[in-house]
Amino acid sequence: MLARRSMMKAGLTTAVAGLLGGASRPPGKDQPNILFILADDLGFADLGCFGRDDFATPALDALAAGGLAMHRSYANSSVCSPTRLALMTGQYQYRLPAGLDEPLGVNPALGLSDAVMTLPDMLKRAGYATSLVGKWHLGGLPQYGPRKSGYDRFFGIYEGGADYFAHGMTIRGKFKHDLWENETEIHRTGYLTDLITERCVEELGLFSQTSSPFFLSAHYTAPHWPWEGPEDEDVANRIRDSFHYDGGSDAVYAAMVRSLDRGVGQLLAALKANGQADNTIVIFTSDNGGERFSKVWPLRGMKGELLEGGIRVPTLLRWPGRIAAGTRSDLVQITMDWVPTLLAAAGIVEDDCPALDGHNLLPALLNASIGPDRMLFWRHKAQDQCAALAGKIKYLSLGGHEFLFDVEADPREVANLKTADPASFARLKAAFEGWNSKMLPYQPSNFSYELRGKGNLAGY
């Protein structure tokens, strides 16, 4: 099963080339451009259109007004790099060693192998130009990197986070710079969120000069720690350690999210100015639930937890002429679904794709339906957490205690239905155990938050 699911590039070359009519099929006029915007540690209710009322996010609210707001959207993990692995592969991240929680911070030998077929790989074979701007976090040089996994160009950071002004991390007193142009280390002056936005605008300009459709991954680091707003360079100079647990405030967090919102506004303005807006799918989401200053109401929990606040994320989708403007969806969806969905949008038939765990959402999205009930699964070694979701019913095991919740009627997960509905409890628990038996087991050397003694605020 693992060999079949690993999507080795060599084995797919003939099949994909046959599907596309050659290794470099000329792009068709019906192929949409794709702008995928990924925030880092953004909470479910951190946007005005999702409930934030103490600061404004006008650009993202406008994006929602022009498209679809998805309120039952889930991240593949409650922490960063596993979700990013799922976004690249369309699989449960637990099928690959690099996806077992957050091993990348302590095991540099792990990463996304260039032998694994990825979303940018497959889009590139379909005639797309591809770029990643922002955070990679799927393994470092020389063995791993965006350009080994399907991107034509890369500008950003390889690690899990970076100081917004120094563009690197200070851990236990040692600073490591981390800003790159492809595989070349570079130095720039400026706030990292702004640098990412500026480069994305440049990329959109370059794409406008070609006839090929494009796939631009705009992976912001905001609002991930360290807690620094655009005006906080003096604060940054005083931070002794990038983990920085004594720092931040609601005001600083608001400034970070507002800078992210302004950046998204600039990307949308560039699409319009370049004449690209009408034929571009724009997706905005987060890699996991929010951190300490995030708003997740009416949910409970945060990054690092499998409560809804740790895995449910705000998601926006705009596709002019295909997705009705100003609509809301309660379609249950997870990060890895974007792979088959975007492949389908690009004209690649799902039946001819590699085996994927994600589902093609396109039929449900275009028909504004919520789709059939499906099972989703999570696990997280920290605090011995696991979860299974079937529609509105969720099984959760947390720290040795088991629960059953109706997350539609009880989004705060406080009424344990374990004894009231024993049949559903047994069904979801058994489904989780069956699914888990097909995933890679945790190994003693796998990264665990407890090993750092930091609880759910540690790591990436």
Side-chain angles (χ1 to χ4, degrees), residues 70-82:
M70 304 182 72
H71 285 251
R72 291 293 308 279
S73 182
Y74 290 89
N76 259 71
S77 174
S78 62
V79 289
C80 300
S81 65

Side-chain angles (χ1 to χ4, degrees), residues 80-123:
C80 300
S81 65
T83 296
R84 294 163 191 274
L85 192 68
L87 177 59
M88 288 289 283
T89 65
Q91 304 179 80
Y92 278 111
Q93 63 274 16
Y94 316 103
R95 296 188 183 279
L96 300 170
L100 299 175
D101 284 345
E102 287 276 23
L104 299 175
V106 294
N107 190 344
L110 289 176
L112 176 58
S113 170
D114 62 0
V116 177
M117 183 66 77
T118 65
L119 173 60
D121 276 324
M122 289 182 275
L123 289 173

Side-chain angles (χ1 to χ4, degrees), residues 255-273:
M256 296 172 75
V257 176
R258 286 198 300 264
S259 72
L260 169 65
D261 181 76
R262 285 193 298 272
V264 172
Q266 291 177 49
L267 301 191
L268 299 179
L271 285 175
K272 184 176 181 180

